[in-house]
Each structure stands twice: as structure tokens, then as C-alpha cells.
Amino acid sequence: MKTICYCAAVRTAARKTTALYDAALEPAGLTLAQYSLLRKIERAGAVSLTELGRMADLDRSTVGRNVKVLERLRLVRLAPAKDQREAAVKLTPAGAEALWRAAPLWEDAQRRVETALGAGSAEQLRTLALSL
């Protein structure tokens, strides 16, 4: 085959972009994955691990492992959920503070990506990513 593998190209771009965001968020003590989950939890209020997995498009076991890290960092806590068979995850005050510190760093990373791509290409990227 003479064409580049779309999957390989997307994965390479994702690794580079994730590294940029991780570096930007480092002063707040968060990675992009942690910031993203915290933001989803913040928007949901209290959310079950299963629902958080749906929101993040991750399987429940991955979400569970990631939430355990956030719990050890005291950024979230587990509480009873509506469904008694499951726990809900909620932000702690420290988690809200971490998001507050990280938000301008995330916004700066967003601007850096948009500047590197140009506004038109950044919009095209959003459209393409949502279509997959």
C-alpha cells in the first residue's frame, strides 16, 4: 500500500497532542486524562462509574482505575449512587480547586493547537473527529 494508514496517523497526532496538553497541565498537577474526567464529573454532579464510562467513551474498568487515582489524589470521592449496586463519583473541594487552576492552562493549550493548525483546520479537525 502506498497510502499512510489513517489509524497510525490519528494515533501519532493524538500522542503528540496529548503530550502538549499534559505539559500544559503539569503546573496544575494533572494530566489531560485526569482533567477530562474531572471536567465530566463536574458537569454531571454525581455520576456512576458506568455513566462516566459512557460519557468518556471508556470501558468501566478503565474508568474505575482512573477514578481510583483521582480518589488517591483526593480530587474525587465515592458516594452511594441512585442504583445501590454501584457507586457514584463526586468532585471534592480539592478537585474543584484543581479544575479552577487547570482551566486557563487547558485554554492555553487549546489556543496553541488552534494556532498551529489555523482556525479553519482546527474547525475541520473538530468536525472530522466527531464524525468518526
Side-chain angles (χ1 to χ4, degrees):
M1 247 186 161
K2 300 220 183 228
T3 62
I4 187 168
C5 173
Y6 295 123
C7 185
V10 169
R11 288 176 60 123
T12 298
R15 279 193 301 274
K16 289 179 179 180
T17 307
T18 300
L20 183 146
Y21 279 82
D22 282 347
L25 292 167
E26 188 175 16
L30 296 174
T31 65
L32 178 60
Q34 292 167 338
Y35 178 83
S36 179
L37 273 184
L38 288 172
R39 188 59 79 196
K40 285 173 177 42
I41 295 164
E42 176 192 48
R43 288 183 183 131
V47 62
S48 73
L49 294 177
T50 300
E51 183 58 27
L52 185 56
R54 280 190 209 110
M55 292 166 59
D57 200 21
L58 296 169
D59 63 76
R60 191 183 180 290
S61 62
T62 300
V63 168
R65 284 191 302 274
N66 291 345
V67 164
K68 282 191 186 306
V69 172
L70 295 174
E71 193 177 21
R72 278 196 305 272
L73 294 170
R74 301 184 191 282
L75 301 177
V76 300
R77 68 179 177 84
L78 294 178
K82 291 177 188 172
D83 181 343
Q84 295 300 314
R85 297 170 293 174
E86 196 162 19
V89 61
K90 299 173 112 176
L91 280 186
T92 63
E97 171 71 19
L99 277 175
W100 182 81
R101 283 191 328 269
L105 303 172
W106 180 87
E107 289 168 7
D108 182 57
Q110 287 281 99
R111 281 190 294 276
R112 289 172 56 198
V113 170
E114 188 165 298
T115 298
L117 295 176
S121 292
E123 182 58 37
Q124 189 176 22
L125 175 62
R126 280 188 287 277
T127 301
L128 291 171
L130 292 173
S131 70
L132 293 176

